[in-house]
């Protein structure tokens, strides 16, 4: 805080001018002091001064609240910063209150703003930006660029001003991760790294740029420019931003920062037994029934799924389809199809239970098909509307869960499925981007979307309060709504709809950047036509997350089923370690076309590493398993720094006959793995050689 009372947040030892106000607010009529693409340097943010602060303990959280006020408008801001002892993260939210005499119109407000990232010696030339592009079938694609390649030096002293631009990423519409992850970071090459995460399904934006020779970071929820969001605050009205977190790893680089972010994600989650039990899930959709379930098709899958060790059986899309024109634009009532399930769906659900598994169903609760009777029976106000017209997208309308009729309808549906049908698992999908939102009265579309989003979170919470053992999977056409607003409540996250098993490894390996490992649902869909290598390849990818098994297991040979079963057995052995494990990437975060990919998790005394060796990319029209293999590097050495100097005996846990040879270089902390054939994978366990004998065929090298 300076003599005027302005409060700025930054790293220790930084000059005041390098920092930014802790809360940046754009009001209509009170814009910025330096016009450009940036949302910092706001007039209100610059005027806000300290009016008090307090600290308190809230369970494990240490909370500091800083009160700020703008004397010109009467706007008051409370910045709440939360952390836990010994943690390297801070979670922030800002509450605005209008204590003036006139209505204020908020166009943007930061959740957290930080300056002074870099030091005077190294400067910005040593910084690297890290962000993740996201798309359907191509989630979690991390990108890297030198800070100076995106924010060039402009010689501020020659012009008297900073630049007008910044590096920014933001969401668009109601798919919060349809373009990018709300997670990004900066590293400096010395082992220091910063990561941030914004927790919103209703619009978010982050920016970073240069200020007085240092980098700043500013994190936002929805805003007017990008999300059609404006919030009117009449005198006495309040508004609270979406949460965001900033993580700092002083050593260890991105791996250490992602470890800290993983620990934070576990802190903010609603407690649930699923986070520790991690049951094996079979889902009939991917590369299998693909939305066409019937009693006849499901019964053999149920039997074979139980035989290989599945503990949950999910009937995916189509179980409600009795419409001659198809179900896509007719959904909403969520009644079981009589034609698909002669005698009722209860027969199938009973079969799931009789085989010792928990029955699950797919549901897309927020949409109503344009041909559904619900589109006519629910009141118009229960749906998203813009310009007084009900919004439709890809044959669907969108429910506004702020309306009691919409919420009552979904409560009735879920209570029927759980209480009457005995369903214990719901896969909640979301397959449309409804655009900027809904206008209810004079509210902006973005404000309507945020209002619905918060009502949606409240509804999800209410389901778990009524049905504590119910497990909820969050899905948005795979990973298009993969944010911790929802993942702080739901137990699992679908990571992708990717159907090519050779395209899945970079998604599976990078999923832990977006989701805690025990929440990352990763498809494993072995097929009868797959070779043993292909079966093991698709199974290996799920062993460090949550197995989402699929495939026509009933049509497999006994040898193929044994290979699937052995993967499930390995998973059951290692899953007790996953809820406390931290992720790392021995080859760095994977690129989309990488030949070798490595992902690991480590907990106290246990380290597991999955490695994939891929051949060239599949050609258009080529089915999985039909690719032409070409020779490539069959040996890869990966770094495991946390085990450097430790005597380790490496074990190939799965598959047993991969042909892999493995060597541990103790003093270099490196693991060398040979996979003689392309499109193969192996899961390796690294344990102390003092307690675990060296396996036959493997060697521990003390060089």
């Amino acid at each position: 805080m300076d003599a005027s009372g302005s409060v700025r947040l930054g790293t220790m030892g930084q000059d005041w001018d390098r920092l930014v106000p802790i809360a940046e607010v754009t009001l209509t009529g009170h814009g910025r002091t330096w016009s450009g693409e940036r949302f910092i340097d706001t007039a209100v943010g610059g005027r806000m001064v300290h009016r008090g602060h307090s600290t308190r303990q809230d369970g494990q959280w240490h909370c500091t609240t800083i009160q700020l006020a703008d004397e010109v408008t009467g706007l008051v801001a409370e910045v709440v910063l939360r952390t836990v002892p010994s943690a390297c993260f801070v979670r922030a939210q800002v509450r605005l209150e209008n204590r003036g005499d006139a209505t204020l119109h908020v166009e943007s407000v930061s959740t957290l703003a930080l300056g002074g990232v870099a030091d005077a010696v190294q400067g910005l030339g040593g910084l690297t930006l890290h962000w993740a592009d996201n798309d359907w079938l191509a989630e979690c694609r991390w990108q890297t660029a030198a800070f100076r390649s995106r924010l060039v030096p402009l010689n501020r002293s020659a012009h008297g001003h900073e630049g007008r631009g910044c590096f920014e990423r933001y969401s668009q519409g109601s798919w919060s991760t349809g373009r990018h992850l709300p997670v990004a970071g900066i590293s400096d090459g010395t082992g220091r790294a910063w990561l941030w995460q914004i927790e919103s399904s209703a619009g978010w934006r982050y920016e970073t740029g240069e200020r007085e020779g240092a980098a700043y970071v500013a994190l936002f929820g929805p805003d007017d420019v990008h999300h059609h969001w404006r919030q009117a605050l009449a005198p006495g009205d309040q508004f609270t931003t979406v949460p965001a977190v900033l993580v700092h790893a002083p050593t260890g680089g991105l791996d250490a920062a992602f470890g800290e972010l993983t620990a934070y994600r576990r802190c903010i989650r609603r407690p649930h037994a699923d986070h520790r039990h991690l049951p094996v899930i079979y889902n009939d959709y991917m590369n299998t029934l693909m939305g066409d379930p019937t009693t006849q098709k499901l019964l053999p899958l149920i039997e074979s799924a139980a035989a290989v060790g599945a503990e949950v059986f999910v009937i995916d899309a189509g179980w409600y389809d009795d419409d001659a024109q198809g179900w896509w634009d007719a959904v909403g009532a969520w009644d079981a199809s009589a034609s698909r399930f002669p005698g009722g769906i209860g027969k199938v659900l009973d079969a799931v239970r009789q085989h010792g598994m928990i029955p699950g169903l797919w549901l897309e609760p927020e949409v109503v098909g344009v041909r559904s009777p619900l589109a006519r029976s629910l009141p118009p106000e229960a749906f998203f509307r813009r310009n007084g017209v009900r919004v439709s997208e890809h044959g669907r309308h969108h429910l506004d869960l702020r309306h009691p009729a919409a919420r009552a309808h979904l409560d009735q549906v879920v209570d029927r499925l759980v209480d009457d049908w005995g369903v214990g698992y719901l896969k909640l999908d979301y397959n449309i981007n409804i655009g900027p939102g809904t206008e209810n009265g004079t509210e902006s579309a973005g404000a309507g979307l945020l209002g619905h989003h918060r009502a949606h979170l409240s509804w999800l919470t209410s389901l778990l309060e009524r049905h504590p053992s119910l497990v909820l999977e969050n899905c948005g056409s795979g990973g298009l709504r993969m944010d911790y607003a929802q993942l702080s409540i739901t137990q699992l996250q679908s990571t992708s709809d990717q159907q090519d098993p050779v395209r899945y490894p970079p998604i599976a390996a990078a999923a832990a950047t977006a989701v805690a490992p025990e929440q990352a649902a990763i498809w494993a869909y072995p097929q009868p036509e797959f070779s043993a290598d292909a079966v093991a390849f698709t199974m290996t990818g799920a062993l460090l997350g949550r197995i989402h098994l699929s495939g026509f297991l009933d049509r497999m040979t006994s040898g193929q089923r044994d290979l699937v079963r052995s993967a499930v057995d390995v998973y059951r052995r290692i899953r007790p370690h996953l809820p406390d494990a931290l992720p790392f990437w021995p080859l760095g975060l994977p690129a989309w076309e990488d030949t070798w990919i490595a992902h690991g998790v480590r907990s106290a005394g246990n380290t597991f590493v999955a490695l994939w060796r891929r051949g060239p990319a599949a050609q258009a029209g080529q089915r999985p398993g039909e690719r032409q293999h070409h020779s490539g590097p069959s040996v890869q050495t990966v770094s495991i720094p946390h085990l450097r100097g430790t005597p380790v005996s490496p074990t190939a846990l799965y598959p047993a006959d991969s042909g892999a040879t493995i060597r541990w270089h103790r003093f270099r902390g490196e693991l060398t793995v040979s996979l003689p054939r392309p499109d193969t994978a192996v899961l390796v366990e690294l344990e102390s050689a003092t307690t675990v004998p060296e396996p036959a065929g493997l060697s521990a090298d003390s060089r």
Side-chain angles (χ1 to χ4, degrees):
M1 184 171 67
D2 70 358
S4 71
S6 177
V7 178
R8 301 186 181 188
L9 186 65
T11 57
M12 292 185 65
Q14 290 290 351
D15 294 336
W16 178 260
D17 290 341
R18 292 182 163 196
L19 310 183
V20 293
I22 194 170
E24 293 278 22
V25 184
T26 305
L27 301 179
T28 305
H30 303 263
R32 289 162 289 178
T33 59
W34 181 240
S35 190
E37 301 300 312
R38 304 177 179 205
F39 281 21
I40 64 166
D41 296 319
T42 60
V44 173
R47 294 196 304 253
M48 279 196 161
V49 294
H50 179 263
R51 286 292 179 261
H53 64 274
S54 60
T55 61
R56 64 185 178 90
Q57 201 69 28
D58 181 12
Q60 67 178 328
W61 295 93
H62 182 80
C63 305
T64 298
T65 300
I66 302 169
Q67 293 91 27
L68 307 170
D70 173 30
E71 299 298 333
V72 174
T73 62
L75 184 69
V76 172
E78 285 191 350
V79 181
V80 181
L81 304 176
R82 293 171 173 259
T83 190
V84 298
S86 75
C88 294
F89 60 74
V90 59
R91 191 186 203 215
Q93 277 187 284
V94 173
R95 184 179 66 85
L96 300 179
E97 181 179 353
N98 183 1
R99 295 184 185 174
D101 299 325
T103 296
L104 303 175
H105 300 273
V106 186
E107 297 180 2
S108 72
V109 52
S110 66
T111 291
L112 183 65
L114 170 83
V117 179
D119 56 49
V121 176
Q122 188 181 30
L124 299 180
L127 296 184
T128 301
L129 293 168
H130 307 272
W131 74 97
D133 295 337
N134 217 59
D135 198 358
W136 184 55
L137 313 180
E139 290 84 352
C140 302
R141 299 187 331 276
W142 280 86
Q143 314 295 320
T144 298
F147 190 91
R148 277 303 190 200
S149 73
R150 300 304 175 106
L151 295 148
V152 298
L154 299 174
N155 192 353
R156 186 194 190 286
S157 62
H159 303 92
H161 287 288
E162 300 285 2
R164 299 184 186 274
C166 60
F167 178 84
E168 65 173 1
R169 291 292 183 267
Y170 52 89
S171 65
Q172 185 178 48
S174 57
W175 271 335
S176 58
T177 56
R179 307 177 70 191
H180 310 283
L181 292 184
V183 182
I186 294 174
S187 62
D188 71 357
T190 70
R192 295 186 301 176
W194 295 259
L195 284 176
W196 53 86
Q197 171 181 280
I198 306 171
E199 295 152 23
S200 171
S201 294
W204 57 265
R205 176 183 173 274
Y206 63 77
E207 69 174 73
T208 182
E210 180 178 0
R211 186 182 184 88
E212 296 287 351
Y216 74 88
V217 175
L219 312 179
F220 300 84
D223 64 69
D224 186 26
V225 174
H226 301 91
H227 310 100
H228 299 201
W229 177 88
R230 296 176 303 282
Q231 183 68 46
L233 291 181
D237 283 355
Q238 298 181 2
F239 171 77
T240 301
T241 66
V242 302
V245 65
L246 182 70
V247 167
H248 178 226
T251 61
L254 283 182
D255 280 358
F258 276 116
E260 193 74 20
L261 184 57
T262 300
Y264 162 79
R265 288 165 172 166
R266 291 167 176 155
C267 282
I268 65 170
R269 289 186 314 208
R270 177 189 175 89
H272 197 287
D274 181 79
H275 293 149
R276 303 212 70 87
H277 294 164
L278 313 189
V280 175
I281 299 155
Y282 181 96
N283 181 299
D284 69 25
Y285 186 83
M286 191 61 70
N287 291 351
T288 310
L289 299 187
M290 299 296 290
D292 188 26
T294 65
T295 299
Q296 184 179 10
K297 294 177 181 178
L298 285 168
L299 291 180
L301 289 176
I302 291 168
E303 182 177 1
S304 58
V308 300
E311 296 155 303
V312 177
F313 190 99
V314 179
I315 304 171
D316 207 282
W319 58 268
Y320 38 79
D321 179 20
D322 246 345
D323 194 294
Q325 300 179 55
W327 58 263
W328 180 263
D329 58 358
V331 296
W334 309 112
D335 292 318
S337 165
S339 61
R340 290 179 176 275
F341 306 105
I345 197 173
K347 177 181 178 181
V348 178
L349 300 177
D350 286 344
V352 172
R353 283 186 285 267
Q354 289 163 7
H355 282 85
M357 297 182 291
I358 296 171
L361 289 175
W362 180 95
L363 204 65
E364 196 170 359
E366 292 166 82
V367 302
V368 170
V370 296
R371 293 192 300 109
S372 170
L374 270 296
R376 296 179 293 278
S377 63
L378 289 174
E381 297 80 12
F383 295 94
F384 273 37
R385 295 172 297 160
R386 293 197 289 272
N387 300 313
V389 178
R390 187 184 300 186
V391 180
S392 63
E393 175 71 10
H394 198 182
R396 275 99 176 276
H397 300 307
H398 198 294
L399 291 173
D400 186 339
L401 287 184
R402 295 175 295 179
H403 196 281
R407 183 157 174 163
H409 160 62
L410 291 184
D411 281 342
Q412 182 272 328
V413 167
V414 173
D415 290 347
R416 168 168 50 88
L417 300 183
V418 177
D419 292 334
D420 299 346
W421 295 12
V423 170
Y425 184 108
L426 289 176
K427 176 179 178 177
L428 304 180
D429 209 342
Y430 184 70
N431 287 301
I432 61 171
N433 188 333
I434 202 61
T438 180
E439 299 164 345
N440 185 8
T442 60
E443 74 178 352
S444 66
L449 181 61
L450 181 59
H452 161 76
H453 158 60
R454 287 174 163 167
H456 181 220
L457 298 181
S458 171
W459 177 69
L460 293 173
T461 300
S462 73
L463 297 185
L464 295 172
E465 289 173 347
R466 293 202 305 279
H467 310 290
S469 62
L470 180 65
V471 175
L472 301 178
E473 176 189 341
N474 185 47
C475 182
S477 279
L480 300 188
R481 201 161 65 165
M482 191 158 42
D483 61 73
Y484 260 85
Q486 294 193 85
L487 284 166
S488 64
I489 300 171
T490 60
Q491 286 67 62
L492 292 95
Q493 171 65 51
S494 176
T495 55
S496 188
D497 282 349
Q498 176 58 249
Q499 291 179 253
D500 182 349
V502 185
R503 288 290 192 188
Y504 212 131
I507 302 171
T513 64
V515 184
E518 67 275 16
Q519 290 182 276
I522 298 169
W523 288 104
Y525 31 55
Q527 299 296 346
E529 65 271 20
F530 280 13
S531 67
D533 279 351
V535 171
F537 189 90
T538 188
M539 294 301 301
T540 301
L543 296 181
L544 296 183
R546 293 296 297 275
I547 294 183
H548 258 45
L549 189 61
S550 197
F552 289 105
L553 306 180
D554 56 314
R555 304 177 189 176
M556 288 183 166
T557 66
S558 59
Q560 289 174 316
R561 283 194 295 271
D562 287 345
L563 192 54
V564 174
R565 175 71 200 215
S566 66
V568 173
D569 289 344
V570 166
Y571 182 75
R572 284 175 154 175
R573 185 170 84 75
I574 69 174
R575 67 182 172 186
H577 303 291
L578 296 180
D580 301 309
L582 301 179
F584 66 97
W585 293 268
L587 291 173
L589 295 175
W592 188 245
E593 300 292 351
D594 279 353
T595 300
W596 279 87
I597 293 171
H599 166 48
V601 298
R602 61 188 183 99
S603 59
N606 298 92
T607 297
F608 304 95
V609 181
L611 299 104
W612 297 260
R613 179 193 170 196
R614 299 193 295 172
Q619 302 301 311
Q622 200 170 36
R623 296 178 60 189
E626 295 179 346
R627 302 175 346 129
Q628 295 297 313
H629 290 156
H630 300 282
S631 61
S634 61
V635 179
Q636 182 62 253
T637 297
V638 302
S639 177
I640 317 287
H642 69 275
L643 292 178
R644 186 175 294 126
T646 304
V648 163
S649 180
T651 304
L653 290 183
Y654 181 83
D657 57 352
S658 65
T661 58
I662 306 171
R663 181 177 293 272
W664 173 246
H665 308 278
R666 173 182 174 184
F667 293 109
R668 298 203 301 268
E670 293 178 344
L671 184 71
T672 296
V673 177
S674 171
L675 287 171
R677 299 179 300 278
D679 294 344
T680 55
V682 64
L683 178 67
V684 178
E685 181 179 20
L686 300 171
E687 284 190 290
S688 170
T690 59
T691 58
V692 179
E694 183 175 273
L698 304 179
S699 64
D701 184 358
S702 62
R703 290 176 295 173

